[in-house]
């Protein structure tokens, strides 16, 4: 699967839930490529904006779409890495504020 194919698959499954891709197509394609790299590297699509441990169980919360997406989009109109956004965010009806990291520090392994 390539980045464009992944984008189409995810769009079909996520837009009906109210999650849209960022209108910045280059950003979306870069993130799709990074998700595919993580899929090859770890066997699952870990969020490319976070450091994965390489342990699927430990990283379960950051497998895209991560568990933080829903509260991030609800509060800020965008997820942490700006891949998934609300319609209002894409239409510039709400500010594009910085989305802070919600992942607990104890889950971040270095």
């Amino acid at each position: 699967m390539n980045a464009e194919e992944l984008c189409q698959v995810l769009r079909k499954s996520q837009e009906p839930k109210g999650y849209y891709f960022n209108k910045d197509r280059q950003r979306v394609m870069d993130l799709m490529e990074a998700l595919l790299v993580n899929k090859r590297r770890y066997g699952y699509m870990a969020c490319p904006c976070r450091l994965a441990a390489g342990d699927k169980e430990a990283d379960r919360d950051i497998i895209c779409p991560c568990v933080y997406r829903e509260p991030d989009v609800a509060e800020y109109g965008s997820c942490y890495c700006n891949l998934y956004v609300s319609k209002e965010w894409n239409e510039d009806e709400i500010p594009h504020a910085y989305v802070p990291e919600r992942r607990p520090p104890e889950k971040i392994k270095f």
Side-chain angles (χ1 to χ4, degrees):
M1 179 176 290
N2 65 34
E4 184 59 44
E5 292 167 332
L6 178 59
C7 187
Q8 292 307 316
V9 168
L10 293 175
R11 179 176 282 118
K12 285 179 187 175
S13 67
Q14 299 306 310
E15 281 190 3
K17 298 174 185 176
Y19 298 103
Y20 300 87
F21 285 134
N22 188 323
K23 64 184 174 182
D24 180 343
R25 180 143 174 84
Q26 186 59 55
R27 173 123 179 112
V28 170
M29 288 296 106
D30 289 346
L31 289 166
M32 291 293 127
E33 288 290 346
L35 284 168
L36 290 170
V37 165
N38 283 347
K39 173 83 171 158
R40 287 189 296 273
R41 182 180 292 154
Y42 304 119
Y44 52 92
M45 293 192 306
C47 176
C49 298
R50 295 179 167 103
L51 186 59
D55 174 341
K56 189 172 184 178
E57 192 53 42
D59 290 338
R60 189 161 300 285
D61 63 320
I62 61 167
I63 295 175
C64 189
C66 73
V67 301
Y68 310 106
R69 177 188 69 172
E70 185 177 343
D72 284 350
V73 173
E75 186 172 350
Y76 298 100
S78 171
C79 70
Y80 181 65
C81 60
N82 302 130
L83 175 61
Y84 288 106
V85 300
S86 67
K87 193 174 195 178
E88 296 78 16
W89 193 95
N90 258 348
E91 294 173 357
D92 298 319
E93 294 174 7
I94 60 173
H96 294 189
Y98 170 75
V99 180
E101 175 64 272
R102 288 183 191 267
R103 194 172 198 214
E106 63 273 9
K107 292 206 65 124
I108 302 170
K109 306 211 183 326
F110 295 99

